[in-house]
Amino acid sequence: MLTFRRPDDLPVVLPALVDQARSVAGTARARVLVVDNDPARSAEATVAGIAADIAAGIAADTAAGTGYGDIEVAYACERAPGIAAARNRALRESEDSDLLVFIDDDERPSAHWLRELLRTLLDTGASAAVGPVVSEFAVEPDPWIAAGEFFVRRRLPTGTTVDVAATNNLLLDLAFVRRHGLAFDTGLGAFGGEDTLFTRQIVALGGSIVWCAEAVVTDVVPVKRLTRRWVVQRAFSSGNGWSMTSLILTRSPLRRGRLRARLTASGLVRIAGGAVRLSRGTVLRSTRDRAKGVRTIARGAGMVSGAFGYAYQEYRRD
């Protein structure tokens, strides 16, 4: 679990992750690793205190014959800024592990989350398994945001093969990762899209990513993200990241030129389609059409800007 200055989330999610680790104790030995991306090590004391409480509880359970053995809670500080650097630190800290699962510090795992991810990976022999993310809001979203479905993510049947995934609910086969020397691109650390590139590389190298519908995590959305500006910027970032990673994956200058043209055309089609829907929504006073039109325009604009080399710094730190 990566974290950056979210002290209120740690006491909630860490015990939940320990419970997840204990739930698979009969199948695998697991530990919980917290990678703090704050050079000031702001999460260290909180993690240490929680780890001590958890260790005491596990020891008591073990003594009573009801425990699942020792579950380690480990802490590492990655001083280099950027989410890609923090993810790479997690890879380095897991050199002795066979599998690595990522979850964000503002997410909450469902009851059998880890067990289901592990089962899906082992049953399919895939290189990675990914699960759905659903949102829970700190306050009721603006009706415009709800109508635009800005926080609605894809849901697929278990076993479906996908060609890209986010790393906020992703289990990796580290043997595949090591065999191909994969790492997160630190050049994307401030921009986002590092997970898009990483998982697309898995597929490009002959690996597979499978969907596990039962491995649900809940994303706790704070008030600051429930604004029209934030959700539109996220839609722009999504399109921008897709174009950027597509170009990175294409090495031939000739093919890159053709791809740039296709990405531009696709982005322009989205902008035009979004504009039509926005206009229709304005005339018909449809909040849904207005919001979805703006979302489509933003994603299309992101694709076009990415095709021409602009990179939106979603994770910039001032």
Side-chain angles (χ1 to χ4, degrees):
M1 181 185 70
L2 276 55
T3 191
F4 180 72
R5 298 178 184 173
R6 283 181 174 160
D8 294 337
D9 287 307
L10 296 178
V12 179
V13 70
L14 263 184
L17 294 181
V18 170
D19 287 341
Q20 295 288 329
R22 297 176 75 182
S23 74
V24 300
T27 306
R29 183 177 179 183
R31 70 168 182 155
V32 178
L33 170 66
V34 179
V35 178
D36 186 1
N37 202 207
D38 184 4
R41 306 176 72 95
S42 58
E44 185 173 22
T46 301
V47 172
I50 296 170
D53 291 342
I54 290 170
I58 291 174
D61 286 349
T62 302
T66 58
Y68 296 89
D70 186 29
I71 302 295
E72 178 188 2
V73 177
Y75 171 89
C77 179
E78 177 53 53
R79 294 180 178 276
I83 194 167
R87 295 203 189 283
N88 284 336
R89 180 61 179 269
L91 290 176
R92 294 195 302 273
E93 293 286 334
S94 304
E95 289 179 348
D96 296 331
S97 299
D98 298 312
L99 305 171
L100 173 63
V101 61
F102 281 108
I103 186 171
D104 287 351
D105 57 357
D106 56 354
E107 292 179 336
R108 309 291 181 257
S110 56
H112 304 296
W113 163 71
L114 185 55
R115 185 188 306 171
E116 294 295 342
L117 273 181
L118 185 60
R119 178 188 57 80
T120 298
L121 190 77
L122 296 178
D123 287 352
T124 61
S127 311
V130 61
V133 179
V134 298
S135 292
E136 177 182 288
F137 306 106
V139 297
E140 189 68 25
D142 178 334
W144 186 89
I145 293 175
E149 298 182 348
F150 286 91
F151 289 97
V152 175
R153 301 171 175 91
R154 61 182 175 174
R155 302 294 293 267
L156 301 168
T158 295
T160 303
T161 300
V162 298
D163 56 7
V164 65
T167 42
N168 54 350
N169 185 6
L170 181 71
L171 176 63
L172 295 171
D173 177 356
L174 291 180
F176 183 91
V177 172
R178 293 176 189 129
R179 185 162 63 248
H180 294 282
L182 287 174
F184 293 91
D185 189 338
T186 54
L188 298 175
F191 305 104
E194 82 295 331
D195 49 358
T196 298
L197 178 61
F198 186 90
T199 54
R200 293 181 72 183
Q201 286 174 323
I202 290 176
V203 176
L205 291 166
S208 60
I209 306 172
V210 294
W211 189 266
C212 178
E214 297 80 13
V216 179
V217 300
T218 299
D219 172 40
V220 182
V221 184
V223 174
K224 66 180 181 180
R225 292 187 176 183
L226 292 172
T227 66
R228 296 189 184 189
R229 178 175 180 175
W230 192 92
V231 298
V232 171
Q233 286 178 334
R234 174 53 68 93
F236 179 92
S237 177
S238 176
N240 186 254
W242 181 260
S243 290
M244 285 173 50
T245 56
S246 297
L247 291 168
I248 291 172
L249 288 167
T250 306
R251 300 194 178 278
S252 165
L254 179 60
R255 290 181 179 177
R256 282 171 64 91
R258 292 173 177 170
L259 176 61
R260 200 183 304 275
R262 289 199 301 272
L263 290 168
T264 299
S266 295
L268 290 174
V269 167
R270 283 175 169 78
I271 292 172
V276 169
R277 189 163 192 179
L278 173 60
S279 298
R280 183 177 65 198
T282 301
V283 171
L284 299 178
R285 297 183 179 180
S286 168
T287 302
R288 178 182 175 86
D289 281 340
R290 290 199 303 269
K292 289 205 165 189
V294 170
R295 189 182 71 173
T296 303
I297 290 170
R299 181 169 172 81
M303 290 181 67
V304 173
S305 64
F308 283 91
Y310 173 76
Y312 174 65
Q313 298 189 46
E314 183 175 0
Y315 297 102
R316 180 180 59 192
R317 298 181 188 175
D318 297 324

